[in-house]
């Protein structure tokens, strides 16, 4: 039983990682196609859960609108509008993404106690897998070269090695300069939220370190991902000082000090981390 649960959790983590980061190194098409149809199969096996989720008004409306627009655009495609198929593709991806999201939530609820904090912790753990790949691509430039050279986006290697803006695109993902850093920024907010809500000091330090690594990965790829983090950090001190939470005040000050002095450490003064110095 224990081995079965470990296997199920491993599959859930891999599935969620592939769904969120969608690395384009293994296939010439979007992974959401495979994940979406696997999710559809999962939902058919768990009909009670599928009916419960699709009976939710918001989910049903989103699902129905995407399906309606998809067939609407396919109709125009058959009547000579060749651009319609590309727009239809976008709605099909959203449609399959809904299936994937529902499957992830369903698998999570079957393996964990379904609370907001537990789910946020799960998402943070998934991003820690990405942090590992970010560090790996820094330590092993050959791994980074492989990721970029085998990516579906053909011009990503040229964009990532632009001498004017410094090296970027570290990790195993797609959307290195857009969706990837923005998602990591949102996860950094999740991690900072866990830092505030946890009472144990060691738990607080753990989430603070994860937040640092998430911010580090954002800076290396695209600094637009820092926008949600900065907005959160502007509001956070007010909340902490109002509550007079001195433990969090000390840890937060330490966090800011580390961020301030990080670019001045000699270890980071190299070409691969030029973007860190810029930030």
């Amino acid at each position: 039983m224990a081995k079965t649960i470990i296997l199920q959790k491993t599959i859930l983590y891999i599935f969620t990682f592939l769904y969120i980061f969608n690395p384009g190194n293994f296939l010439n098409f979007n992974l959401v196609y495979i994940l979406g149809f696997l999710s559809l199969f999962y939902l058919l096996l768990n009909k009670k859960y599928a009916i419960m989720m699709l009976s939710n008004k918001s989910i049903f409306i989103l699902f129905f609108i995407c399906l309606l627009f998809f067939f609407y655009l396919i109709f125009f495609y058959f009547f000579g509008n060749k651009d319609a198929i590309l727009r239809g593709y976008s709605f099909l991806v959203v449609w399959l993404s809904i299936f994937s999201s529902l499957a992830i939530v369903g698998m999570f609820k079957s393996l964990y106690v379904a609370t907001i904090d537990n789910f946020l912790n799960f998402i943070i753990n998934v991003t820690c897998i990405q942090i590992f790949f970010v560090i790996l691509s820094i330590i092993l430039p050959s791994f980074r070269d492989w990721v970029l050279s085998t990516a579906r986006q053909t011009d990503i290697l040229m964009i990532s090695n632009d001498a004017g803006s410094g090296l970027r695109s570290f990790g195993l993902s797609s959307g290195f300069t857009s969706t990837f850093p923005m998602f990591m920024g949102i996860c950094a907010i999740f991690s900072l939220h866990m830092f505030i809500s946890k009472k144990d000091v060691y738990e607080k330090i753990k989430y603070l370190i994860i937040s640092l690594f998430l911010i580090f990965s954002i800076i290396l790829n695209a600094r637009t991902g820092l926008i949600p983090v900065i907005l959160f950090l502007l509001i956070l001190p007010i909340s902490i000082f109002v509550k007079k939470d001195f433990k969090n005040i000390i840890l937060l000050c330490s966090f800011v000090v580390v961020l301030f002095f990080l670019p001045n450490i000699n270890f980071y003064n190299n070409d691969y981390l030029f973007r860190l110095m810029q930030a």
Side-chain angles (χ1 to χ4, degrees), residues 23-63:
N25 308 93
F26 310 108
L27 298 167
N28 289 325
F29 55 87
N30 198 320
L31 279 175
V32 170
Y33 285 121
I34 294 177
L35 299 178
F37 284 108
L38 287 174
S39 300
L40 179 59
F41 180 69
Y42 171 84
L43 294 172
L44 289 173
L45 291 177
N46 297 271
K47 291 180 182 177
K48 182 183 279 190
Y49 167 74
I51 292 169
M52 181 189 72
M53 295 303 288
L54 289 175
S55 62
N56 180 287
K57 189 176 179 181
S58 299
I59 295 174
F60 178 78
I61 290 173
L62 177 62
F63 180 84

Side-chain angles (χ1 to χ4, degrees), residues 77-232:
Y77 171 75
F78 283 115
F79 279 87
N81 189 338
K82 300 302 179 183
D83 292 335
I85 194 67
L86 296 175
R87 300 180 186 275
Y89 160 82
S90 301
F91 284 102
L92 179 61
V93 168
V94 174
W95 193 53
L96 293 173
S97 296
I98 295 171
F99 285 145
S100 300
S101 300
L102 294 178
I104 288 168
V105 172
M107 287 187 282
F108 176 83
K109 289 177 72 174
S110 68
L111 294 169
Y112 299 93
V113 178
T115 64
I116 293 295
D117 277 358
N118 283 348
F119 190 72
L120 290 181
N121 186 62
F122 166 69
I123 296 297
I124 292 168
N125 288 341
V126 173
T127 60
C128 287
I129 301 172
Q130 185 61 252
I131 288 171
F132 166 78
F133 285 116
V134 170
I135 294 171
L136 186 65
S137 60
I138 295 170
I139 297 172
L140 295 175
S142 57
F143 173 73
R144 175 178 175 272
D145 291 340
W146 173 81
V147 171
L148 297 178
S149 61
T150 58
R152 284 198 313 270
Q153 186 180 345
T154 54
D155 59 347
I156 188 66
L157 188 62
M158 179 185 68
I159 294 171
S160 302
N161 292 332
D162 179 14
S165 60
L167 295 176
R168 64 177 83 184
S169 301
F170 294 86
L172 183 63
S173 179
S174 59
F176 281 110
T177 58
S178 54
T179 53
F180 169 56
M182 192 60 72
F183 176 79
M184 297 296 264
I186 293 169
C187 287
I189 293 175
F190 292 163
S191 185
L192 288 169
H193 162 74
M194 298 298 280
F195 153 73
I196 295 167
S197 62
K198 293 295 180 181
K199 302 299 180 184
D200 184 70
V201 175
Y202 293 104
E203 286 282 298
K204 286 181 175 293
I205 292 171
K206 181 185 82 170
Y207 286 110
L208 206 53
I209 291 171
I210 292 173
S211 301
L212 273 171
F213 274 110
L214 286 168
I215 292 170
F216 177 73
S217 67
I218 293 166
I219 292 170
L220 286 176
N221 287 286
R223 287 155 291 178
T224 53
L226 290 174
I227 294 172
V229 180
I230 291 169
L231 291 175
F232 181 79

